[in-house]
Amino acid sequence: DTGVSQDPRHKITKRGQNVTFRCDPISEHNRLYWYRQTLGQGPEFLTYFQNEAQLEKSRLLSDRFSAERPKGSFSTLEIQRTEQGDSAMYLCASSFSRAGAGELFFGEGSRLTVL
Amino acid sequence: AQSVTQLDSHVSVSEGTPVLLRCNYSSSYSPSLFWYVQHPNKGLQLLLKYTSAATLVKGINGFEAEFKKSETSFHLTKPSAHMSDAAEYFCVVSPLSGYSTLTFGKGTMLLVSP
């Protein structure tokens, strides 16, 4: 399968714990995005990388959220000191920069439940 | 600023009847508009896109949408629903140029009955 893959698919954690999600984009894509989707809502943009550079991070929800893409390939999203309000689906997407805006390929998501 | 409003949270149709999913947008500049579909336990998939070319856009699986600037609408239609069309559909707006910060609507769940 050459699509966007995310790991883990499901994560249950206790409040206050740290969690990390991994995203492997489509190999030839140089752009990578993180979105969050809560119940009954559409996905909400969090952050965006072009190669290893994080070009937009002002939408990260708080300083407890951070993302990296160290070698311009896979990316990680970390949430420190989780809160119950962090429970959501975290979506990763990738694209090729020469494609038109909005042509993103999404993974199946990582569902976080904070108890 | 940009936003989209999907006018129906749920739409129910019978198999073989037409589908209409409504979307209005707000944008301070010329937008790109998209429809994405999300089947259960599947990733979001691009259905079709409008990027200032033809106002009637055809997508995959027989879906199409018409950009109407005067009405600020981008409604999604299909002449005949199929059971496999049952999914959640998202209307999305983005700046015409620049990086892809997509703004999603809240989604419309399409239910198709036999």
Side-chain angles (χ1 to χ4, degrees), chain B residues 2 4 6 11 18-19 22 33 37 39 48 72 77 84 86-87 93 105:
Chain B
Q2 57 192 20
V4 289
Q6 292 186 242
V11 169
V19 175
R22 298 181 295 164
L33 291 159
V37 60
H39 287 92
L48 52 79
T72 62
T77 60
S84 61
V93 65

Side-chain angles (χ1 to χ4, degrees), chain A residues 33-105:
Chain A
Y33 311 81
W34 286 99
Y35 283 77
R36 185 179 82 152
Q37 186 176 18
T38 54
L39 199 62
Q41 302 294 320
E44 174 188 19
F45 173 78
L46 296 179
T47 189
Y48 148 75
F49 293 85
Q50 178 152 318
N51 301 312
E52 65 275 12
Q54 190 173 14
L55 298 186
E56 174 59 67
K57 58 181 180 180
S58 64
R59 310 277 190 93
L60 285 168
L61 301 165
S62 78
D63 58 6
R64 297 184 297 106
F65 287 72
S66 63
E68 293 183 343
R69 194 183 184 199
K71 296 182 180 180
S73 56
F74 74 92
S75 175
T76 58
L77 176 70
E78 181 181 17
I79 309 173
Q80 296 182 327
R81 306 181 303 280
T82 53
E83 302 172 357
Q84 288 185 326
D86 297 332
S87 296
M89 179 75 85
Y90 291 85
L91 302 173
C92 177
S94 69
S95 72
F96 186 52
S97 59
R98 292 181 187 165
E103 294 184 80
L104 304 189
F105 293 79

Side-chain angles (χ1 to χ4, degrees), chain B residues 65-85:
Chain B
E66 186 171 8
F67 174 72
K68 292 186 176 181
K69 186 175 181 178
S70 60
E71 299 176 10
T72 62
S73 70
F74 191 58
H75 301 333
L76 182 69
T77 60
K78 182 174 181 177
S80 176
H82 191 273
M83 295 295 292
S84 61
D85 295 328

Side-chain angles (χ1 to χ4, degrees), chain B residues 85-100:
Chain B
D85 295 328
E88 189 156 27
Y89 292 80
F90 293 93
C91 184
V92 182
V93 65
S94 171
L96 192 59
S97 60
Y99 62 84
S100 300

Side-chain angles (χ1 to χ4, degrees), chain B residues 1-5 23-29 33 92-93 103-105:
Chain B
Q2 57 192 20
S3 65
V4 289
T5 302
C23 172
N24 285 3
Y25 72 92
S26 173
S27 179
S28 53
Y29 38 67
L33 291 159
V92 182
V93 65
T103 300
F104 283 75

